[in-house]
Amino acid sequence: MPTLDLGVLVSGTGTNLQAIIDAVGGGTLDARVRLVLSNKPGVAALQRAAAAGIPTQVLSHKSFPQRESFDRALVAALREAGVTWVVLAGFMRILTPVFLDAFPMRVVNIHPALLPAFAGVDAQAQALAYGVRITGCTVHFVDSGTDTGPIIAQAPVPVLPGDTRDSLAHRILEREHESLVTVLQWIAEDRVSVVRSSTGSRPRVVVKGRSPLLGTSAEAR
Ligand code: GAR
């Protein structure tokens, strides 16, 4: 089976990165993390990567005049490292077509809500403020919109009485870690494809032999 050559883009704590590192180390994800790239210096995700012996690089978006020049620098660093698939693991920047065209349908994001609900920043607080009973996480391909790309898999998470933003975020994160690693392994197994219809409707993702509704009785592992 081919091994995925991953580049992981981060901006913060890096628990999703850690889930990837642990799954690769534990032999449940056929991937190598070639490079961890952060747009912020000093974040915990960089320490996690360094502790696992993974090359890291910081490219601050503030050092670039436009989004496009920042994206060109990201692409160059990822290509140089031999990356063929990109994971956004808590990366809090919007990518332009300069980046997305360099890795077409090869950029995967994890988002802490059931898209299309609660796109953008602080999806957990948005869900609490709205009063939904169920939220969750979504793993999706990235397009040039904000959290609008084709959905690969979703996992539901209940909102419990008394939840705070942090208690809910923690419960969602546990599902994020499983969901992200599960989807990446599907990609490694070549189970994931994007189908474009001739009618101009949204591209859809087809997952061969696995249920993309994760963490429910519908899930068949
Ligand atoms: C995660 O909850 C991830 O879904 C979210 O940031 C957190 C990063 O946590 N990403 C977004 O909101 C992107 N729109 P981590 O750094 O511990 O993996």
Side-chain angles (χ1 to χ4, degrees), residues 10-18 45 48 88-92 109-113 118-124 137-138 140 146-147 165 169 172-173 176-177 180:
V10 297
S11 301
T13 314
T15 64
N16 278 291
L17 167 67
Q18 190 68 54
R48 293 175 188 273
L88 309 186
F91 183 68
M92 304 309 270
N109 183 44
I110 177 89
H111 183 76
F118 313 130
V121 294
D122 214 345
Q124 305 94 335
C137 63
T138 302
H140 65 98
T146 302
D147 301 320
R165 188 257 171 221
I172 296 171
L173 262 181
E176 289 186 40
H177 300 158
L180 182 58

Side-chain angles (χ1 to χ4, degrees), residues 117-207:
F118 313 130
V121 294
D122 214 345
Q124 305 94 335
Q126 292 185 55
L128 267 187
Y130 198 93
V132 293
R133 305 298 188 197
I134 295 179
T135 183
C137 63
T138 302
V139 185
H140 65 98
F141 285 114
V142 177
D143 67 10
S144 56
T146 302
D147 301 320
T148 51
I151 289 171
I152 308 171
Q154 293 185 301
V157 173
V159 180
L160 301 180
D163 257 341
T164 61
R165 188 257 171 221
D166 286 351
S167 64
L168 179 59
H170 183 263
R171 192 174 315 113
I172 296 171
L173 262 181
E174 290 177 347
R175 302 316 308 274
E176 289 186 40
H177 300 158
E178 299 164 10
S179 302
L180 182 58
V181 164
T182 297
V183 166
L184 291 174
Q185 180 58 20
W186 290 348
I187 292 171
E189 292 170 3
D190 205 16
R191 294 180 182 278
V192 177
S193 49
V194 179
V195 178
R196 292 162 204 278
S197 85
S198 51
T199 59
S201 58
R202 285 172 56 79
R204 307 243 162 185
V205 175
V206 175
V207 179

Side-chain angles (χ1 to χ4, degrees), residues 19-29 31:
I20 293 170
I21 292 170
D22 292 347
V24 170
T28 55
L29 174 57

Side-chain angles (χ1 to χ4, degrees), residues 46 75 79-80 95 107 127 138 143 214 219:
L46 290 167
V75 169
R79 288 219 167 117
E80 171 76 23
L95 294 168
V107 184
T138 302
D143 67 10
L214 295 169
E219 186 181 355

